[in-house]
Amino acid sequence: MKKQIELFIFNLKKDMWVYIGIIGILYIVVVPLFMYKIDDYIYLGYDVETSLFALMQRILFMFIISFQYFMFQIYVKSEMKELSLILDLKSKWVYLFIECMFFHIVLLPLYILINIKVGNMINIFAIFLFQSFVLSSIFYLLSMSMRSSLLSLGIIVCYILIFSYFENIISLFIIEESVPLISYTYFIKWIFIMIFNLIIGRKFEKKFKK
């Protein structure tokens, strides 16, 4: 993992202004929007927890997956791919999960603001973290199987746009169900899917290196 962290820091410094732009948009535009929507949900008498969770899934996942797309270019660009091979990084999904954790650290001030404004939302943040790891595993599988992170990004963006509004059996997102009512089968199902994505993605990754 040490080599993945070193590569992550190198990549972060290399394209620093891209990431500053993503985080800048997040805190200049999205955070005020969230604060406004929370007041709106309270005023209209909505279930704030459920409504806010739906909003988080629709908006924040777009930022997380965009961030991962730019950070993952180090594995797909020819000149950067050589660097990753020199470092002998064996598991690209570990790198993606490091990216994911870093972005949640970036989101910590927003989580704190929400927690202060709404109350105890730790369960929401925990489920959102779990979902982001599953989404990262999907991105990993698509990138390794299609050998195109751009195409993978497009597919996941479409997936978010469609299924963050319409719940069904293949939707990762929880839109209408109250968080305390989420069953264990939801987590078991998506844990198995995440493991499947990592195993199959790893098989494609080995072919990708050849």
Side-chain angles (χ1 to χ4, degrees):
M1 184 178 288
K2 182 181 177 181
K3 288 182 180 180
Q4 279 94 343
I5 293 173
E6 289 174 353
L7 185 62
F8 173 80
I9 293 171
F10 167 80
N11 201 14
L12 201 62
K13 290 178 179 178
K14 182 177 70 71
D15 294 320
M16 181 177 60
W17 292 109
V18 173
Y19 309 125
I20 288 175
I22 293 173
I23 295 169
I25 293 170
L26 178 68
Y27 276 95
I28 293 171
V29 178
V30 176
V31 171
L33 173 65
F34 269 70
M35 296 301 104
Y36 167 77
K37 293 299 288 185
I38 289 170
D39 290 336
D40 198 36
Y41 295 147
I42 294 171
Y43 176 77
L44 295 173
Y46 289 179
D47 182 336
V48 178
E49 189 178 70
T50 302
S51 301
L52 186 59
F53 189 32
L55 187 67
M56 287 173 63
Q57 294 170 101
R58 288 168 186 155
I59 295 178
L60 295 184
F61 277 138
M62 289 292 193
F63 282 88
I64 291 173
I65 204 63
S66 298
F67 179 78
Q68 288 191 315
Y69 163 75
F70 284 110
M71 290 294 290
F72 206 57
Q73 294 306 296
I74 200 164
Y75 279 112
V76 292
K77 287 182 178 178
S78 57
E79 68 276 11
M80 300 308 292
K81 184 181 174 184
E82 289 177 5
L83 174 61
S84 66
L85 290 173
I86 291 170
L87 291 173
D88 190 27
L89 301 178
K90 296 179 180 179
S91 302
K92 293 181 174 66
W93 65 266
V94 174
Y95 182 78
L96 273 174
F97 278 26
I98 291 171
E99 292 175 10
C100 187
M101 281 303 303
F102 174 81
F103 205 84
H104 281 287
I105 292 170
V106 169
L107 289 171
L108 268 178
L110 174 60
Y111 294 157
I112 292 169
L113 282 173
I114 291 173
N115 215 53
I116 292 171
K117 201 169 181 68
V118 177
N120 187 4
M121 295 280 285
I122 301 300
N123 54 344
I124 291 287
F125 302 146
I127 297 169
F128 186 71
L129 178 64
F130 169 76
Q131 289 177 319
S132 66
F133 281 126
V134 176
L135 205 63
S136 296
S137 75
I138 296 172
F139 181 70
Y140 170 68
L141 174 59
L142 291 174
S143 296
M144 293 299 99
S145 59
M146 297 179 177
R147 302 194 177 187
S148 170
S149 55
L150 181 59
L151 183 57
S152 303
L153 174 69
I155 291 172
I156 291 186
V157 166
C158 291
Y159 179 82
I160 295 170
L161 289 173
I162 295 170
F163 293 111
S164 63
Y165 287 91
F166 304 101
E167 278 190 49
N168 58 52
I169 194 169
I170 64 170
S171 174
L172 169 66
F173 312 112
I174 301 165
I175 310 305
E176 298 175 356
E177 189 173 3
S178 178
V179 171
L181 299 178
I182 299 172
S183 66
Y184 287 110
T185 55
Y186 169 84
F187 297 100
I188 293 169
K189 167 188 163 184
W190 286 105
I191 286 171
F192 275 110
I193 291 173
M194 180 167 60
I195 293 171
F196 172 84
N197 291 340
L198 297 179
I199 292 172
I200 303 303
R202 179 62 178 155
K203 289 184 181 295
F204 280 113
E205 182 183 340
K206 289 178 179 177
K207 292 181 181 179
F208 188 59
K209 287 181 177 180
K210 294 178 181 179

